[in-house]
Structures are given as structure tokens and as C-alpha cells.
Amino acid sequence: MKKVISILALFSLVIVLSSAKGDDGVITKENGMYVVNTTTLGKNVVGYVAATPLKIYIQKDKIVKVEALKNQETPKYNAKVKRLLLTKWDGMKVKDVAKQKVDGVTGATITSDAFKKNVQLGVEYYLKHK
């Protein structure tokens, strides 16, 4: 009986410690970088067709890259936005993201706006939870 209680106590401690760590799946660490996944943060940020989740890679409070995750946007416009828009944040300090006016991609305005909103949400979350 003592062994069962000890195992339960240890299990409870592991649960408490992992929840205290704040690992909610939105921010993770990969190769020394923070990675913010906007899948849940931006679930209501809709492009032309549906949600437009991103991964934002951050190191030393600068954006290393922004990567589009699987979405249902029209492939032609999605590719154009990924190529022309997502690199505009590369090297930008996270504290400057809110101040910057990043132009969208002509012909893909709705998708561009959704991606920009997701970057904003991801950076705000990072600044509050890093």
C-alpha cells in the first residue's frame, strides 16, 4: 500500500512540476530558439478560406523566421504570401513588431492580413510568456 501511495505522490509531483513550467504547447524550444505556434492562438484568425497558423522562430528577442503551417488557403496565393510576406519579419526585434507597418501582398490581401495578425498574436504571447 505504501508503494502505491509513493507512486501516486511521485506522479502528482510530476504533474505539478510540468504544469508549473508553463509548457502549454504554444511556446516550445528548438535548437536554442523559442518557437511560437499560433495554431491555438489564432484559431479565429481566418484568411480567405480558413485559419492560417504559423510558427514564429525567435532567438535573443529577434525573429529568425516565420513559417506557415498547413492551411486551406488557395495554394497559388498561399505560396505568394509565404514567399513575399513572411520574410519581412526576419531579423526584426520582437518589441518592434507592433510598431512596424508590414505591407501585404497584392492580390492576396485577406490571406496577408491573417498572417500579419497571427504574427502579432504570436509575438504578444511570446512577450508575456517567455
Side-chain angles (χ1 to χ4, degrees):
M1 185 66 167
K2 283 185 177 183
K3 191 173 187 178
V4 171
I5 292 172
S6 295
I7 291 172
L8 288 173
L10 181 60
F11 183 70
S12 297
L13 179 63
V14 168
I15 290 173
V16 168
L17 289 176
S18 64
S19 65
K21 182 176 69 167
D23 188 5
D24 56 8
V26 175
I27 294 181
T28 57
K29 268 202 134 178
E30 292 178 23
N31 301 321
M33 287 185 270
Y34 288 98
V35 181
V36 181
N37 184 322
T38 67
T39 300
T40 55
L41 290 176
K43 66 184 174 201
N44 296 321
V45 179
V46 177
Y48 191 75
V49 178
T52 54
L54 303 171
K55 275 189 173 180
I56 305 164
Y57 294 80
I58 301 168
Q59 188 172 40
K60 297 181 181 176
D61 287 334
K62 286 187 178 180
I63 295 177
V64 174
K65 71 177 179 176
V66 178
E67 177 181 282
L69 297 175
K70 186 175 173 90
N71 61 58
Q72 297 176 9
E73 297 300 284
T74 307
K76 174 182 170 183
Y77 297 110
N78 194 39
K80 190 176 182 181
V81 170
K82 287 197 284 189
R83 186 179 73 251
L84 299 174
L85 178 69
L86 296 185
T87 57
K88 292 190 178 186
W89 288 281
D90 292 359
M92 189 180 293
K93 292 179 183 178
V94 291
K95 67 179 184 172
D96 294 338
V97 169
K99 301 174 203 168
Q100 296 295 320
K101 292 285 185 188
V102 175
D103 291 332
V105 175
T106 303
T109 305
I110 296 170
T111 302
S112 295
D113 288 347
F115 280 12
K116 290 190 295 185
K117 180 65 177 170
N118 268 301
V119 169
Q120 186 68 41
L121 288 172
V123 167
E124 287 171 2
Y125 190 89
Y126 167 79
L127 288 170
K128 290 180 185 173
H129 297 92
K130 67 176 178 170

